[in-house]
Amino acid sequence: MTSSSYWAEHAWLGDRVADSVLIDVADGRITALTEGAEPGGAARLRGLTVPGLANAHSHAFHRALRGHVQRDKGTFWTWRELMYRAADRLTPESYHELARAVYAEMALAGVTAVGEFHYLHHAPGGIPYGDANAMGHALVQAAADAGIRITLLDTAYLSSGFGEPPNDHQLRFSDGTADAWAERASALKGDANTVIGAAIHSVRAVPADALHTVATALDGPLHVHLSEQTAENEACLRAHGRTPTRLLADHGALGPRTTAVHATHLTEEDIALLGGTGTGVCMCPTTERDLADGIGPAVDVQRAGSPLSLGSDSHAVIDLLEEARAMELDERLRTHRRGHWTAAQLLGAATAHTALGWDDAGRIAVGAHADFATVALDSVRTAGAGATAEAAVYAASAADIRHTVVGGRHIVRDGVHTLIDDVPAALTAAIRQVIEA
């Protein structure tokens, strides 16, 4: 048995802040919490320690686009063409290097688990690698090397639109049929650091008669891009006479293990379907505003019964605290009213590990995974804000993460990654292979 202990100056325990908390850890889990304790020989976490942040929606290779796709005007669809060009240049080796650096950036931002929405499966032209899951294995190894947990959401991507075959770029994404996708994805195995789940890329990329196969092939979480664009809704109505949400419901793809990503353009019936089935919704505010997608009805879907999570998606920003406050602030702009969620609720969405199949994470409690992050309270952003959930959500940023602990391992100590010497240099080198090759 491996054991360690941490002393948190202040700790968020889900409904309150406790002071001077000794956190005992054995075999990666919290075994005891003692409030008002002396630090003794424990590792000291100065600031406000919160549960590890859960990045519920990631496309790791999109990180290479930051600063490159913001130069000109355009739409989601023109942005997508630039994204395809970056994807065309990746190999299992270069994807591992890029993802390792991206996940290290996430660790520096307090993220302890990532949901990787993975659809870049094959070599250019759609030719399988010798290891059919070489790209997925590269991502799993990258997360382990960066010290964070991963939920690999192996994604079915079979068509370029309703009734249309994949285009040349998308051949790398496609297995041809849902059964072939299921056979390949079923060969992936989880471990102590990895959960394997599935994803329906979108209703435009998975034909209706394949939705049930994808939804039921694997036992883990199921994610789906849903109604991110009004054009998708309009095309679905033309093809099937129903909304994407109704189409998913009719094919058994909604339910408590499903998370709908974006869910930006929903009807009242869509909202009722998602909430009534307990389907989760992952909001990605920084990407949604970067791509001018719109503001999703987060308040309404939560009120209807959908649990909320957050993701950084295209990684225009990797900052789950910013995603949390952006969800509230965007809603304020839309409604001209304040206070749609408490800071505690927003922090809960930023730590929603259940969306990723890590049911024993996302809280500082005995028996839970020892995954937590410490927010500095003495930076120029947080000074004077106090040790509160409001300070974490409304004052702090990713730059204020001082410590990140995953499974009891001190991955980020005093703002420095303990496994990767120079994360900015690693990012620069990996991105150059994609953007400047």
Side-chain angles (χ1 to χ4, degrees), residues 57 76-77 117 162 200-205 211 223-237 242-249 254 258-271 273-274 279-284 288 291-298 301 313:
H57 189 64
F76 168 85
W77 307 102
F117 201 100
F162 297 95
I200 295 166
H201 179 274
S202 57
V203 295
R204 70 177 186 273
L211 290 171
H223 287 214
V224 54
H225 288 139
L226 178 64
S227 293
E228 183 176 3
Q229 294 287 320
T230 55
E232 176 185 299
N233 289 355
E234 293 161 0
C236 189
L237 287 167
R242 66 199 79 179
T243 66
T245 303
R246 169 52 72 182
L247 188 65
L248 291 169
L254 300 183
T258 301
T259 295
V261 181
H262 301 301
T264 308
H265 304 284
L266 303 179
T267 66
E268 290 184 4
E269 182 192 24
D270 293 340
I271 292 168
L273 281 170
L274 293 173
T279 300
V281 172
C282 177
M283 308 302 293
C284 304
E288 287 148 8
L291 296 179
D293 286 344
I295 299 170
V301 293
D313 191 6

Side-chain angles (χ1 to χ4, degrees), residues 15 51 57 79 104 108 133-134 142 144 196 241 244 247 286-287 292 299 341 374 382 391 414 417:
D15 58 355
H57 189 64
W79 169 89
L108 288 168
N133 284 307
I196 302 298
L247 188 65
T286 64
T287 290
V299 171
W341 293 275
T374 303
T382 59
D414 292 321
H417 202 288

Side-chain angles (χ1 to χ4, degrees), residues 68 116 140 142 152 161 193 208 293 321 332 379 388 426 429:
H68 296 278
E116 185 61 40
V140 168
L152 186 69
N193 197 65
D293 286 344
L321 299 176
R332 292 181 186 184
S379 76
T388 63

Side-chain angles (χ1 to χ4, degrees), residues 366-425:
V366 173
H369 289 294
D371 299 353
F372 35 86
T374 303
V375 179
L377 298 177
D378 55 1
S379 76
V380 293
R381 289 164 294 277
T382 59
T388 63
E390 287 77 10
V393 172
Y394 289 109
S397 74
D400 297 306
I401 298 298
R402 180 170 284 162
H403 302 280
T404 303
V405 174
V406 184
R409 297 173 66 201
H410 212 149
I411 302 301
V412 173
R413 181 184 289 112
D414 292 321
V416 177
H417 202 288
T418 62
L419 304 179
I420 298 174
D421 290 337
D422 189 337
V423 177

Side-chain angles (χ1 to χ4, degrees), residues 310 320 323-325 327-328 341-351 393-394:
L310 294 165
L320 269 290
E323 303 292 347
R325 68 172 157 266
M327 188 165 69
E328 165 69 26
W341 293 275
T342 66
Q345 289 171 320
L346 293 170
L347 196 54
T351 58
V393 172
Y394 289 109

